[in-house]
Amino acid sequence: MGDETRLRVLGIAGSLREGSFNRALLRAAQELAPEGMEIRAFDIAPIPLYNGDVEARGDPEPVTALKAAIREADALLIATPEYNYGVPGVLKNAIDWASRPPDKTPLRGKPAAIMGASPGPHGTVRAQLQLRQTFVFTQTPALLAPEVLIARAHEKFDKEGGLTDEATRGYVRKLLEALRDWTLRLRGGA
Ligand SMILES: Cc1cc2nc3c(=O)[nH]c(=O)nc-3n(C[C@H](O)[C@H](O)[C@H](O)COP(=O)(O)O)c2cc1C
């Protein structure tokens, strides 16, 4: 596979928890990535709360690092939990920083895929829809299908955070293949 089809994907999990299902999901995606795709996980824990006064003095270092990582990536892969039917604050906060200033945001035009895991029965569907809405404003073209909505996550991962459910591994694989095709299509290469 030539360099033109080598894809660098930036993975962001919207949970800071060590035992997070969504961080585990991102690790599973790293394992399941198709040939030629590399997924680098970006830790959003050091990103401070958005404050326009702080921004006016210059981006804090973790924000600069986040923006650079997004800019350098060919595509984004977000693993979001669902909090109160929405996107967790830590993830929305990171996206808010990355969205600034709106005319220069590295999120604009960046292909993205969304997935999520929850112990509940709906697999983060409401958080994912909310994230799509945010991506409308940032002009981040998020892949529409397949959806990866992992319900009853505690039955799909083992105690070490390994994704053991074969069907779910298949869904993640399909999502990554679709993200590859989507990214190449937006690049005009396929
Ligand atoms: C503040 C809060 C709100 C939550 N709200 C929801 C919710 O709306 N829907 C849902 O499916 N799970 C909800 N949960 C449960 C999370 O899905 C569960 O904690 C999950 O493990 C979080 O993702 P993580 O494992 O990646 O940290 C909530 C959890 C917290 C802490």
Side-chain angles (χ1 to χ4, degrees):
M1 187 171 271
D3 265 2
E4 69 287 353
T5 48
R6 186 151 279 286
L7 291 183
R8 290 156 307 164
V9 173
L10 189 73
I12 299 176
S15 175
L16 309 185
R17 218 163 63 79
E18 183 109 358
S20 157
F21 290 119
N22 288 281
R23 286 164 71 119
L25 179 56
L26 202 52
R27 288 196 301 274
Q30 287 174 310
E31 261 174 49
L32 296 167
E35 200 198 327
M37 178 185 281
E38 259 171 45
I39 304 175
R40 171 191 163 200
F42 189 94
D43 182 11
I44 59 173
I47 296 183
L49 286 176
Y50 178 77
N51 179 332
D53 295 337
V54 172
E55 183 188 33
R57 292 195 290 271
D59 283 346
E61 191 281 324
V63 173
T64 304
L66 172 66
K67 287 182 177 177
I70 295 173
R71 196 166 287 114
E72 284 158 20
D74 296 305
L76 300 178
L77 175 66
I78 312 286
T80 185
E82 179 172 283
Y83 278 6
N84 298 309
Y85 283 20
V87 176
V90 288
L91 177 58
K92 181 61 164 48
N93 179 63
I95 292 171
D96 290 342
W97 272 113
S99 73
R100 304 280 305 159
D103 59 333
K104 293 206 183 85
T105 172
L107 292 169
R108 183 177 290 186
K110 190 68 64 177
I114 300 170
M115 56 185 184
S118 157
H122 302 297
T124 73
V125 62
R126 294 154 298 214
Q128 292 197 29
L129 287 173
Q130 201 183 69
L131 185 53
R132 288 183 185 283
Q133 187 176 329
T134 293
F135 281 160
V136 171
F137 187 72
T138 59
Q139 299 182 43
T140 306
L143 183 68
L144 296 173
E147 291 177 303
V148 174
L149 305 163
I150 304 179
R152 304 192 62 79
H154 50 290
E155 296 173 1
K156 316 265 165 72
F157 292 86
D158 64 20
K159 294 257 176 302
E160 288 72 46
L163 179 57
T164 49
D165 186 73
E166 265 316 311
T168 306
R169 291 176 74 83
Y171 300 141
V172 173
R173 220 179 263 120
K174 283 209 158 47
L175 178 73
L176 297 173
E177 286 165 3
L179 177 62
R180 174 197 59 202
D181 296 347
W182 180 231
T183 305
L184 294 176
R185 195 165 142 193
L186 291 178
R187 200 193 258 181

